[in-house]
Amino acid sequence: MDDTEVAVPWYEITFLKTVCSDRGREQEICQRRLEVESDDEFGAIQSAKNLFCSQENILDWSLRADAYRVQRTARSNSSPTGKRRQRVA
């Protein structure tokens, strides 16, 4: 990266669904985890929701998930964990 480039932060958004086990205990299940690049957290959430809907072929993310968690990540564009990274404008 040269001096003119500004690093845009990456955010990891995890979409979760709460389900009941056969013993009646609730647990959160990860439906999808996405990493997006965005100027701010709000933009990352909106981008991740749109990407989630596109990948699931649905109109509303809440049809497949009950909640989401957001975490800012410090990694570069290449992901050593093999997770899917998506640059969303």
Side-chain angles (χ1 to χ4, degrees):
M1 177 165 45
D2 64 20
D3 292 336
T4 60
E5 289 185 47
V6 176
V8 178
W10 284 90
Y11 294 87
E12 180 180 271
I13 294 85
T14 305
F15 291 90
L16 304 159
K17 181 79 172 175
T18 302
V19 297
C20 258
S21 71
D22 57 352
R23 296 180 184 214
R25 299 185 94 185
E26 289 186 351
Q27 57 185 354
E28 287 185 328
I29 305 298
C30 175
Q31 295 298 89
R32 188 173 298 268
R33 181 172 289 132
L34 299 169
E35 290 183 332
V36 295
E37 186 178 22
S38 180
D39 292 328
D40 57 37
E41 186 174 307
F42 178 77
I45 293 167
Q46 294 305 99
S47 295
K49 286 178 181 179
N50 292 337
L51 188 58
F52 181 78
C53 288
S54 174
Q55 291 176 350
E56 294 289 323
N57 199 26
I58 55 177
L59 296 176
D60 184 351
W61 68 272
S62 64
L63 295 172
R64 297 273 196 285
D66 299 320
Y68 55 84
R69 288 193 188 130
V70 181
Q71 180 178 354
R72 186 172 172 165
T73 62
R75 290 187 290 251
S76 65
N77 288 350
S78 60
S79 176
T81 60
K83 293 179 187 170
R84 181 177 309 185
R85 301 203 80 135
Q86 183 75 34
R87 169 64 170 129
V88 182

